[in-house]
Amino acid sequence: MRRFSILSYGFSALLFAALPVLAADQDVIDYREAVMKIFNEQTGALGQIASGVVPDDNLVTHMQVLAMTAQTALKAFEPKVPGGEAKPGIWSNWADFSKRMTEFAQQSAAGAKIAKEQGKDAALEQLVNIADDCKDCHDTYRQEKK
Amino acid sequence: MRRFSILSYGFSALLFAALPVLAADQDVIDYREAVMKIFNEQTGALGQIASGVVPDDNLVTHMQVLAMTAQTALKAFEPKVPGGEAKPGIWSNWADFSKRMTEFAQQSAAGAKIAKEQGKDAALEQLVNIADDCKDCHDTYRQEKK
């Protein structure tokens, strides 16, 4: 699947060469949505660990991946390209949005450290704090499409 | 969205308490699918970077996340629960499957190191090697559902 992903993106890039502005916009949207989907799958996995339905062997790694991906997220939103599920307020309130994203990266990094040093219960407590911030930011800046 | 993920998993766990065997099986499938989706989104993002349609600022981080997630993947398949897109051969040929997954983790770790030390071109060359192995393993052990 990976190879096809890469090939199909390469192919899209060729197609898009004829439509540079539209293509660039869609690429920007695709990229930030890929980043947000990584969060979604990561927190889905962490939610399963939290509720005890899968073992917690990978807890620390999932928390670390969440933290690392959080470092990429702000950059993914830097190009001012409304569309997808992103509300235009992201760019008209960039100072607030970027502050939230930066705090999210900091809280996630703290969560990874807590998971490694203090274990599951403490990590999940931090994860709930992070999830609250996620929800607040989504409520403000995301228009969910079903 | 994250909070809802966690809450919904917690709620599912309560529901599943009445159907422990079926629930456990579906949880196992959901978890490994979350892990595989992380790969998919990660390589989608890397494919965009490879084709130059988004900047490469996050290249090293994406390669590192790929490597870290690869460490979690084998564990996600350890419970012998066919279903989803996993072919039963995974468990009847466990020695082969686990060897491939272990090599994938090693190659991804090498890729993250290459990305950090040698830059984009070398990293993408390694990524193509990894993608080849992904495709081979999918061809053998995955039954894709549309």
Side-chain angles (χ1 to χ4, degrees):
Chain A
M1 181 202 295
R2 279 158 205 103
R3 190 188 204 178
F4 293 137
S5 299
I6 291 167
L7 291 179
S8 68
Y9 275 111
F11 188 57
S12 301
L14 288 177
L15 283 179
F16 288 162
L19 294 164
V21 176
L22 286 175
D25 285 358
Q26 191 56 50
D27 289 329
V28 167
I29 294 167
D30 288 347
Y31 178 67
R32 71 185 180 222
E33 291 191 344
V35 170
M36 299 310 280
K37 281 181 194 166
I38 294 164
F39 290 132
N40 195 38
E41 297 303 333
Q42 207 64 243
T43 51
L46 284 163
Q48 287 190 291
I49 291 171
S51 58
V53 298
V54 298
D56 60 5
D57 311 82
N58 293 331
L59 170 71
V60 173
T61 306
H62 284 305
M63 292 292 288
Q64 287 172 335
V65 166
L66 185 69
M68 294 181 70
T69 305
Q71 292 171 20
T72 73
L74 185 60
K75 182 66 76 177
F77 282 89
E78 276 182 4
K80 188 179 174 177
V81 179
E85 300 191 348
K87 288 189 184 170
I90 288 172
W91 296 279
S92 54
N93 302 308
W94 182 255
D96 176 63
F97 181 80
S98 61
K99 181 170 173 283
R100 288 173 188 242
M101 275 294 205
T102 303
E103 285 172 357
F104 167 51
Q106 289 165 346
Q107 291 298 311
S108 302
K113 193 163 182 287
I114 289 169
K116 196 168 181 182
E117 294 175 359
Q118 299 176 43
K120 183 175 170 179
D121 289 349
L124 295 178
E125 199 173 317
Q126 174 71 355
L127 194 62
V128 170
N129 293 335
I130 294 169
D132 282 340
D133 291 343
C134 293
K135 185 180 180 306
D136 288 345
C137 198
H138 284 158
D139 287 348
T140 309
Y141 291 116
R142 180 189 190 197
Q143 185 154 24
E144 193 164 6
K145 292 181 180 173
K146 294 294 177 188
Chain B
M1 182 203 293
R2 277 157 209 106
R3 189 187 205 179
F4 292 138
S5 299
I6 291 167
L7 291 179
S8 67
Y9 276 112
F11 187 57
S12 301
L14 289 177
L15 284 178
F16 288 163
L19 294 164
V21 176
L22 285 175
D25 285 358
Q26 191 57 49
D27 290 328
V28 167
I29 294 167
D30 289 347
Y31 178 67
R32 70 185 181 223
E33 291 191 345
V35 169
M36 299 311 280
K37 281 181 195 166
I38 293 164
F39 289 132
N40 194 39
E41 298 303 331
Q42 207 64 241
T43 53
L46 284 163
Q48 288 190 290
I49 291 171
S51 58
V53 298
V54 298
D56 60 6
D57 311 81
N58 292 332
L59 170 71
V60 172
T61 307
H62 284 305
M63 292 292 289
Q64 288 172 335
V65 166
L66 185 68
M68 293 180 71
T69 305
Q71 293 171 21
T72 72
L74 185 59
K75 183 66 74 177
F77 282 90
E78 275 182 5
K80 188 178 174 178
V81 179
E85 300 192 348
K87 289 187 184 172
I90 288 171
W91 297 279
S92 54
N93 302 308
W94 182 256
D96 177 64
F97 181 79
S98 62
K99 180 169 172 284
R100 289 174 187 242
M101 275 295 205
T102 303
E103 284 172 358
F104 168 51
Q106 289 165 347
Q107 291 299 311
S108 302
K113 193 164 181 288
I114 289 169
K116 195 168 184 183
E117 294 175 1
Q118 299 176 43
K120 184 175 169 179
D121 289 348
L124 295 178
E125 198 172 318
Q126 174 71 357
L127 193 61
V128 170
N129 292 336
I130 294 170
D132 281 341
D133 291 342
C134 292
K135 184 180 179 306
D136 289 343
C137 197
H138 284 158
D139 288 348
T140 310
Y141 292 115
R142 181 190 190 197
Q143 185 154 23
E144 195 165 4
K145 292 183 181 173
K146 295 294 177 188

